[in-house]
Amino acid sequence: MFQGASALNLDAKGRMSIPAKHRDALLVQGEGRVTLTKHPDGCLLLFPRPEWESFRSRVAQLPMDAHWWRRIFLGNAAEIDLDSAGRVLVSPELRAAAGIEKEVILLGMGSHLELWDAATYAAKEQAAIAQGMPEALKQFNF
């Protein structure tokens, strides 16, 4: 179960060091093999391989009117192995798709992680807070 936020930097080659708390889980759960793909919210999704296979199967079964969503998720998927230093290489195409240059936020989202450009994430988080709490959360006890 992935949770928490990590502020990270990509190196000059576009590699990101996975924080130890997540790296250990990725090594156990997916033998260090991950999949990165686009998300329409403007981030990248990072899945351990077993979680990706489940997600991929569900996306592949979407009806024909969702064919563009299959293209977005499956057509942009990149299979990546963690290197010996616990880093993943984020391809130039995926970096461009998410507007990622150097400063990023890695968010644990349960079964997977989200990778955001740090400034984009901060702006979207502030916009969400400014809109107020959604109805579904108004009855939620904290």
Side-chain angles (χ1 to χ4, degrees):
M1 188 76 148
F2 299 103
Q3 64 183 30
S6 300
L8 305 167
N9 288 310
L10 298 185
D11 68 14
K13 294 181 181 179
R15 296 175 298 194
M16 174 184 66
S17 291
I18 302 292
K21 65 182 177 181
H22 298 313
R23 186 180 331 129
D24 295 342
L26 291 171
L27 289 170
V28 169
Q29 198 174 2
E31 298 175 352
R33 297 170 29 210
V34 300
T35 300
L36 265 175
T37 194
K38 284 185 189 180
H39 189 282
D41 282 346
C43 65
L44 301 177
L45 300 175
L46 189 149
F47 290 91
R49 192 61 48 88
E51 289 294 334
W52 167 252
E53 290 169 0
S54 173
F55 179 79
R56 179 182 61 197
S57 176
R58 292 189 328 238
V59 170
Q61 293 174 17
L62 290 172
M64 279 305 293
D65 64 350
H67 67 276
W68 271 104
W69 294 103
R70 281 194 303 275
R71 288 181 179 119
I72 291 167
F73 292 121
L74 304 181
N76 291 286
E79 295 181 349
I80 305 164
D81 291 331
L82 271 70
D83 69 12
S84 60
R87 298 173 299 196
V88 294
L89 176 64
V90 183
S91 72
E93 296 83 6
L94 288 175
R95 289 195 311 264
I100 292 172
E101 292 185 22
K102 184 171 175 95
E103 295 179 2
V104 297
I105 299 292
L106 186 67
L107 289 177
M109 298 298 294
S111 64
H112 64 282
L113 298 144
E114 290 182 350
L115 181 61
W116 287 87
D117 170 73
T120 300
Y121 179 79
K124 288 191 177 232
E125 182 180 77
Q126 285 303 313
I129 291 169
Q131 285 182 345
M133 202 171 283
E135 197 61 40
L137 285 178
K138 289 182 179 176
Q139 303 304 318
F140 190 81
N141 290 321
F142 291 94

